[in-house]
Amino acid sequence: MSQTANDLKNERTKSTFPVREMTYLLNGGKNQTERKEYFQKLCENEPVFDNKENYFLSRSERFKRSTKKFLRVQELRHQMNLSESDTWLLISNVGDDLAQTIHNLAFLPNLKSLFSEEQQRYWVPLAESYRVIGCYAQTELGHGSNVRGIETTATFIPETDEFEIHSPTLTSTKWWPGALGRVGNHAIVYARLIISGKDYGVHNFIVQIRSFDEHKPLKGMTIGDIGPKLGYNTQDNGYIRFDHVRIPRTNMAMKYITVDRNGNYSVQKKSNSKISYIGMLYLRSIIVGSAKLSLSKACTIAIRYSAVRRQGFNDATSNSEHQVLDYPLLQYRLFPLLATAYAFHFTGEAMKKHFELLASQMGQGDMSMLQEVHATSSGLKSVCTQISADGIEVCRRACGGHGYLLSSGLVELFGTYVQVCTAEGENHMIIQQTSRYLVKALDQARNGTKLPPGCSYLSQEKYLSSARCPAKSPQDLRKFDVLVEAYAHRALIQISLASKSIENYMKNQKLSFEEAFNQSQIVIYRSAYAHCMYTILVSFINAFEKIKKTENKEIYNILLILCQSFGLYWMQHDIGGFMEAGYLSQEQVEWLRDEFEKSLREIRPNAVGLVDAFGHSDHVLQSTLGRYDGEVYKALWDSAQLEPLNQRDPVDGFDESIKPLINQLYKNQSSKL
């Protein structure tokens, strides 16, 4: 056994908690874990799912291979009669981004959420059988995810009982939808509904965009792929322009809003003007959950490699090098991300339950949760993806020079993941939707209105605005009630400052609310960020309190440390926000620093066990550095042997370019002699 393999083996003996039990907890139980591992093994042994050459393929080759993988997924789905949940387990363990995944993530949920039962009876079977392969065409070239700014029109034509879909400008071109460029044959198109010259706002329409037999664009449509990107290049993000394309009237989503044969527009009594946003909300809830997935992969790679990588001697006479993971500065970089990945897991689970409850209530005509879920998902999407994207890069750098290799797994992980910081709303813009909700909620609280639980702390403005941290000792800073109050205080202060800024602009410069809101964007951003961090902390604590009653003591103890470390680190990270209104004293700031560093030392023996508990297979990680067996240097060597440049000596291009250069220089030198 190599030194690196032995180091990782020894690390696993240090864990103070049962890793397997933690895996059960994260996966939702023993049965779900074993089912996941069954599909991991299946994918590892399936030739079509082989990933060894991924990093050496061109974009076209990767895209073609991803479509083959998706076909194989569907073949296995039918052969094995897999349920929807098992199909997702299979897809998630293929270890590659599949071009058709957006069909399941956005197209099908939109059909099921916004189309009537009659429409679903027709469309859903076609979509579930993949006769219809769909995409989600919302974003436009000049408008991003700004739904209100969408230019594409859907004009009702009473003479033929049709809608005419049209792109009136270059900027109205649908741009970025995944599965649009080359794969999809149908699209959910977001367009402005026009009836008798009146604009009824944005609605959803299903449009066939390619033929079934030849898969060519239909008349009046210009379609293509937008080109190579930083990452995520197995996905055919595309564009489409409509030139007066006619579709049946019944292709409009009509679960909550209808247009009859005579062009009469009617809305369900308890419907909401933002009902068409439901597909976007679903995607955002998925994105929040995926933040944990990607960050936990990065942590797994970086922490395993740091456990086997050795650098630096004890003294001039020592022959033994330090494990890099023992360095406090590296722990400071990696362990907060590890704790955050766990926090994101429980936040994602909570977000999923919120969305499911919203969907259930909407099915009964109750829209009361829509604004809250919209605001929460917008903010969490922004904060979670930003932290995860930044965290992946921190993990890459923590791996030193080898982290720069594609074979580390971290380069592609970052390139593929970072797109979510701008997808479904650029993070610094989308979070302002959360701020808008919070400013209004604060105003409601001041008027005595009862607020939803997620922002009920705003009703305690009188107490929180003048509160001081009650910690009397360093250990008190680890208490959940102390942490929660600190985060609530910071959020309230920032939201109050945002409200005051808007009010001042309106009063002193006579600006409208919208203009004042835009001028206050910096404090607006800080207020929403503070609220989201409060939400994540509370989600982690709430989950912990439930776990506390069911799990064993060792699981309880390590989750307690992770939750405390998460709260302490992100307090320290924005220490100014917690001191702005005098909440923390200078002594408490020193306590905070000491307790956080103490939590790093407590995490250290459990670091490898905690990333093992995520259960990422080598096949999915695709990393030479994050291998479960610790054989990182052999893996690096083997990977280099696959490099196409190494397959021929001399290398292609030698005769044309390198040899003439060498010979010319030699001749010149010889002539001088």
Side-chain angles (χ1 to χ4, degrees):
M1 181 181 292
S2 68
Q3 177 69 58
T4 56
N6 193 55
D7 282 343
L8 210 51
K9 181 180 178 181
N10 290 337
E11 284 294 324
R12 293 186 171 112
T13 66
K14 299 176 183 177
S15 293
T16 62
F17 70 97
V19 174
R20 189 66 175 171
E21 293 297 321
M22 182 71 84
T23 302
Y24 292 160
L25 172 64
L26 296 175
N27 287 334
K30 180 180 179 181
N31 291 339
Q32 187 71 356
T33 298
E34 292 177 347
R35 196 65 177 156
K36 174 183 175 180
E37 291 171 345
Y38 168 80
F39 286 111
Q40 285 180 340
K41 200 70 176 175
L42 187 155
C43 289
E44 289 168 6
N45 295 326
E46 171 56 56
V48 177
F49 297 152
D50 182 73
N51 291 325
K52 284 194 282 295
E53 296 181 353
N54 273 7
Y55 298 134
F56 305 103
L57 301 177
S58 68
R59 187 196 172 200
S60 294
E61 291 169 332
R62 283 289 298 271
F63 176 76
K64 184 176 180 180
R65 186 169 288 195
S66 79
T67 60
K68 287 183 178 179
K69 290 178 179 179
F70 193 84
L71 174 62
R72 185 57 182 151
V73 165
Q74 297 312 314
E75 290 173 347
L76 290 170
R77 174 191 171 207
H78 290 292
Q79 291 171 12
M80 302 170 68
N81 194 27
L82 297 180
S83 64
E84 183 178 352
S85 59
D86 277 351
T87 302
W88 273 113
L89 276 177
L90 174 59
I91 290 173
S92 65
N93 285 292
V94 169
D96 211 351
D97 296 298
L98 306 181
Q100 295 92 331
T101 302
I102 201 71
H103 171 91
N104 302 91
L105 285 176
F107 182 78
L108 256 174
N110 193 288
L111 282 178
K112 294 177 179 179
S113 298
L114 296 178
F115 285 72
S116 69
E117 291 184 7
E118 181 180 356
Q119 290 174 311
Q120 288 187 45
R121 281 194 293 271
Y122 177 78
W123 288 108
V124 170
L126 290 171
E128 289 183 336
S129 67
Y130 290 93
R131 172 67 172 168
V132 164
I133 299 176
C135 62
Y136 175 78
Q138 172 190 304
T139 304
E140 295 184 349
L141 181 60
H143 299 286
S145 298
N146 176 16
V147 177
R148 288 178 58 193
I150 283 175
E151 295 181 85
T152 304
T153 57
T155 304
F156 180 59
I157 310 297
E159 294 80 6
T160 57
D161 195 25
E162 294 176 308
F163 287 112
E164 186 175 84
I165 310 296
H166 183 58
S167 306
T169 64
L170 174 64
T171 53
S172 68
T173 304
K174 295 298 182 184
W175 191 276
W176 276 112
L180 170 60
R182 309 306 301 171
V183 169
N185 56 25
H186 282 70
I188 295 289
V189 177
Y190 276 52
R192 311 196 74 83
L193 173 61
I194 310 295
I195 303 175
S196 300
K198 182 178 178 181
D199 186 340
Y200 286 85
V202 176
H203 292 67
N204 290 16
F205 303 84
I206 186 166
V207 182
Q208 183 174 354
I209 60 174
R210 289 186 173 94
S211 61
F212 283 115
D213 50 353
E214 296 181 320
H215 200 64
K216 291 183 177 180
L218 297 182
K219 184 180 178 181
M221 305 181 203
T222 304
I223 315 175
D225 185 279
I226 64 173
K229 309 172 290 285
L230 175 65
Y232 207 36
N233 281 305
T234 57
Q235 186 64 253
D236 59 327
N237 297 90
Y239 62 81
I240 184 168
R241 296 191 70 183
F242 300 98
D243 185 4
H244 300 92
V245 174
R246 297 288 184 90
I247 62 171
R249 173 180 54 83
T250 53
N251 279 27
M252 177 179 133
M254 294 196 186
K255 184 172 185 177
Y256 300 104
I257 299 169
T258 60
V259 175
D260 67 17
R261 177 65 183 85
N262 298 315
N264 295 313
Y265 181 89
S266 57
V267 183
Q268 189 182 95
K269 285 184 178 180
K270 294 186 178 181
S271 186
N272 186 292
S273 61
K274 298 188 184 297
I275 195 68
S276 62
Y277 290 22
I278 190 66
M280 186 166 58
L281 298 187
Y282 175 76
L283 270 181
R284 287 175 183 170
S285 70
I286 294 294
I287 288 172
V288 171
S290 72
K292 165 257 181 173
L293 182 66
S294 296
L295 184 57
S296 65
K297 287 179 181 178
C299 288
T300 299
I301 295 169
I303 287 175
R304 283 180 180 168
Y305 179 51
S306 297
V308 303
R309 179 186 175 201
R310 289 178 174 268
Q311 189 168 313
F313 296 96
N314 290 321
D315 53 54
T317 61
S318 175
N319 292 321
S320 177
E321 291 187 276
H322 289 293
Q323 285 178 273
V324 172
L325 196 58
D326 284 334
Y327 287 109
L329 189 56
L330 192 83
Q331 296 171 14
Y332 176 81
R333 296 162 72 188
L334 295 182
F335 292 175
L337 295 174
L338 175 59
T340 300
Y342 273 82
F344 284 177
H345 169 80
F346 296 113
T347 303
E349 291 293 302
M351 191 68 235
K352 180 181 176 182
K353 290 177 182 177
H354 281 313
F355 184 84
E356 289 172 348
L357 180 58
L358 168 65
S360 174
Q361 291 184 357
M362 285 175 58
Q364 301 170 16
D366 181 359
M367 307 293 166
S368 59
M369 282 185 64
L370 185 57
Q371 288 187 349
E372 180 190 5
V373 174
H374 178 245
T376 304
S377 65
S378 297
L380 289 178
K381 182 271 178 187
S382 172
V383 172
C384 294
T385 60
Q386 195 65 53
I387 290 175
S388 288
D390 292 344
I392 294 168
E393 175 61 6
V394 169
C395 289
R396 187 193 69 77
R397 294 185 184 191
C399 291
H402 293 327
Y404 193 63
L405 287 167
L406 282 178
S407 72
S408 72
L410 291 165
V411 177
E412 180 162 298
L413 179 61
F414 176 79
T416 294
Y417 184 76
V418 74
Q419 55 89 21
V420 299
C421 292
T422 48
E424 295 307 314
E426 194 279 325
N427 281 350
H428 288 81
M429 299 305 294
I430 189 178
I431 199 171
Q432 293 179 42
Q433 298 173 21
T434 308
S435 306
R436 190 180 298 270
Y437 172 81
L438 292 170
V439 167
K440 291 180 179 178
L442 179 60
D443 187 56
Q444 291 172 340
R446 288 169 174 172
N447 291 325
T449 303
K450 184 178 180 180
L451 300 179
C455 60
S456 59
Y457 64 88
L458 295 177
S459 299
Q460 304 174 46
E461 181 180 17
K462 185 175 181 180
Y463 164 71
L464 284 175
S465 61
S466 60
R468 296 294 179 267
C469 180
K472 303 299 183 185
S473 68
Q475 294 75 26
D476 284 348
L477 286 171
R478 289 189 172 216
K479 294 179 179 179
F480 286 163
D481 58 339
V482 173
L483 287 170
V484 169
E485 181 179 292
Y487 276 69
H489 168 85
R490 177 184 61 160
L492 176 87
I493 293 299
Q494 295 303 320
I495 296 166
S496 179
L497 288 172
S499 178
K500 185 177 181 180
S501 176
I502 294 169
E503 182 181 336
N504 286 341
Y505 275 114
M506 293 175 67
K507 180 180 179 181
N508 299 331
Q509 298 189 25
K510 309 302 180 185
L511 300 183
S512 67
F513 176 84
E514 292 298 330
E515 291 171 326
F517 188 89
N518 287 333
Q519 289 299 317
S520 305
Q521 283 184 351
I522 296 175
V523 67
I524 284 291
Y525 176 85
R526 286 181 57 82
S527 67
Y529 170 83
H531 171 76
C532 289
M533 293 306 293
Y534 165 84
T535 301
I536 295 167
L537 176 67
V538 170
S539 297
F540 199 168
I541 290 174
N542 287 344
F544 173 81
E545 294 294 348
K546 293 177 183 176
I547 291 166
K548 176 177 165 182
K549 301 174 183 176
T550 58
E551 299 297 328
N552 63 46
K553 186 177 180 181
E554 291 79 11
I555 294 283
Y556 165 85
N557 286 337
I558 190 59
L559 285 178
L560 174 63
I561 293 169
L562 285 175
C563 193
Q564 292 170 336
S565 188
F566 171 84
L568 294 169
Y569 172 77
W570 289 105
M571 277 184 74
Q572 182 179 266
H573 188 264
D574 182 31
I575 194 65
F578 290 92
M579 296 184 71
E580 189 163 354
Y583 186 75
L584 291 175
S585 68
Q586 183 59 44
E587 183 179 34
Q588 288 169 331
V589 171
E590 294 173 6
W591 292 348
L592 173 63
R593 186 184 304 116
D594 292 343
E595 285 303 305
F596 167 65
E597 292 181 10
K598 181 180 177 182
S599 75
L600 297 180
R601 294 190 290 273
E602 293 167 351
I603 291 172
R604 171 61 186 92
N606 292 291
V608 169
L610 285 167
V611 297
D612 282 353
F614 290 128
H616 298 306
S617 68
D618 287 346
H619 179 78
V620 167
L621 288 178
Q622 296 183 63
S623 172
T624 51
L625 306 184
R627 291 176 58 93
Y628 184 85
D629 63 9
E631 297 284 2
V632 299
Y633 299 121
K634 180 180 184 302
L636 285 165
W637 172 265
D638 291 344
S639 175
Q641 308 318 302
L642 297 174
E643 168 57 55
L645 288 173
N646 295 330
Q647 304 313 308
R648 178 185 170 187
D649 282 320
V651 68
D652 284 343
F654 174 80
D655 291 332
E656 297 89 344
S657 303
I658 302 175
K659 185 176 181 180
L661 179 66
I662 294 173
N663 289 342
Q664 183 63 40
L665 288 173
Y666 176 74
K667 288 178 182 178
N668 290 340
Q669 290 175 349
S670 297
S671 64
K672 291 178 181 179
L673 295 174

